[in-house]
C-alpha cells in the first residue's frame, strides 16, 4: 500500500496519486471493524468531528 511492496521497499512501478486517501480509508476500516461496503457508503455527516485534547 502507498507505493511499497510486501518487503517494505518502494515499488518503482507505483503510479498512485491518492496514497494518503487510500491509506486513511483502510485505516478507518481496520480500526473500526467496518466492512468495505459499510465504509463505502459512509457519509461525511456520519463521521464524528475530531475533538482536540486539552
Amino acid at each position: 500500500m502507498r507505493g511499497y511492496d510486501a518487503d517494505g521497499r518502494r515499488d518503482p512501478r507505483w503510479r498512485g496519486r491518492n496514497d494518503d486517501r487510500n491509506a486513511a480509508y483502510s485505516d478507518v476500516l481496520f480500526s473500526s471493524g467496518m466492512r468495505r461496503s459499510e465504509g463505502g457508503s459512509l457519509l461525511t455527516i456520519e463521521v464524528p468531528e475530531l475533538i482536540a485534547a486539552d
Side-chain angles (χ1 to χ4, degrees):
M1 182 165 275
R2 297 184 83 181
Y4 292 92
D5 60 14
D7 297 328
R9 294 182 304 219
R10 254 339 223 173
D11 184 357
R13 298 171 295 152
W14 177 253
R15 298 290 183 254
R17 59 182 185 153
N18 297 317
D19 302 345
D20 294 330
R21 182 201 64 182
N22 296 344
Y25 179 71
S26 65
D27 287 344
V28 165
L29 294 182
F30 183 76
S31 65
S32 67
M34 284 193 284
R35 295 177 185 93
R36 279 192 327 229
S37 60
E38 295 168 339
S41 64
L42 190 64
L43 300 174
T44 306
I45 60 173
E46 297 173 324
V47 178
E49 291 185 27
L50 180 64
I51 299 173
D54 292 331

